[in-house]
Amino acid sequence: MAGTDNDKPLTKISESFKELATTVNSQAADVELAAFSRACSYVSPLFGCLGIAFKFAEMDYVAKVDDLAEASKSILTLQSVIDRDIEGNCVRKAGSHTRNLLRVKRGLDMVRVLFEQILAAEGNSLKDPASKAYAQVFAPHHGWAIRKAVAAGMYALPTRAQLLRKLNEDETSARIQMQNYITTSAPVILYIDKLFLSRELGIDW
């Protein structure tokens, strides 16, 4: 079946992050919140494709991307998001845009590591790649109950072939798009980390 970009989530993800990476790498402009939240929204269906193990991540991620998209109607850049919350003394407050930005960044990083692990893995199982990505990015920030639920859900992950079918990709095209996302998301994630670290806010909360 010949798919358009609309039914090829990986293509939309890699193309949108390529644009963000271009902005970051140019160092000539701040990243706009609207463009960032739109790119992040393209990642949302991927969490859904992973099934029950990442249901909590999907719900949390989608809600926080929606919050940033709504905020983008009145806040222009990622820098402005953080600086406004610093001024309002609400950076770490539950529901703050800055807190949500940090959580969304974590979701992007989890997908980056997941793709790296999928490309490095052999066989049809996603259990090892998904387990490693979760352990590296999310587990340090989750309590015992969530970690246990995720571990149980790992047994219900789709196979690699099933995931590619859901994403409307074949092995060759998926590898290209996953590698594109790995390459282009890295500078975007680093950019966000620097926004936090340069303001001495930390990123491990």
Side-chain angles (χ1 to χ4, degrees):
M1 181 173 104
T4 65
D5 284 357
N6 286 337
D7 53 16
K8 282 180 166 284
L10 283 184
T11 301
K12 292 175 78 170
I13 291 168
S14 70
E15 287 179 352
S16 60
F17 275 85
K18 182 180 178 183
E19 291 175 13
L20 290 178
T22 299
T23 301
V24 169
N25 292 331
S26 74
Q27 300 183 340
D30 296 331
V31 174
E32 291 189 0
L33 182 56
F36 176 77
S37 58
R38 186 167 54 250
C40 292
S41 72
Y42 296 147
V43 178
S44 301
L46 181 66
F47 284 109
C49 290
L50 292 171
I52 192 73
F54 288 92
K55 189 66 184 173
F56 74 96
E58 180 189 14
M59 293 168 62
D60 191 57
Y61 179 86
V62 168
K64 287 170 173 52
V65 171
D66 286 348
D67 171 74
L68 295 178
E70 186 64 29
S72 73
K73 295 175 181 177
S74 59
I75 305 174
L76 187 59
T77 67
L78 298 191
Q79 284 198 17
S80 299
V81 167
I82 299 175
D83 290 340
R84 278 193 181 199
D85 282 349
I86 290 173
E87 284 177 26
N89 198 30
C90 61
V91 166
R92 293 198 179 210
K93 188 176 177 183
S96 79
H97 300 319
T98 300
R99 187 184 181 94
N100 288 347
L101 174 60
L102 184 61
R103 299 300 188 276
V104 167
K105 188 270 302 188
R106 215 165 271 157
L108 300 178
D109 203 20
M110 206 288 302
V111 172
R112 180 186 64 80
V113 177
L114 175 65
F115 284 177
E116 286 178 345
Q117 294 295 332
I118 288 175
L119 294 185
E122 296 181 0
N124 202 26
S125 173
L126 293 183
K127 185 172 179 293
D128 270 1
S131 297
K132 287 176 181 174
Y134 176 77
Q136 182 174 325
V137 180
F138 280 151
H141 306 283
H142 288 164
W144 176 84
I146 292 179
R147 293 201 304 269
K148 190 171 176 62
V150 171
M154 289 294 180
Y155 293 95
L157 284 166
T159 64
R160 184 184 185 123
Q162 287 169 337
L163 177 64
L164 295 189
R165 273 201 299 277
K166 286 181 180 181
L167 295 172
N168 200 21
E169 302 280 354
D170 58 33
E171 180 70 28
T172 304
S173 64
R175 291 186 79 86
I176 292 169
Q177 301 300 355
M178 286 182 183
Q179 186 58 58
N180 284 346
Y181 175 78
I182 292 166
T183 303
T184 57
S185 65
V188 176
I189 291 166
L190 184 62
Y191 172 83
I192 296 170
D193 282 347
K194 284 180 176 176
L195 289 181
F196 279 80
L197 296 173
S198 66
R199 290 161 175 77
E200 299 184 349
L201 298 176
I203 54 174
D204 292 320
W205 48 277

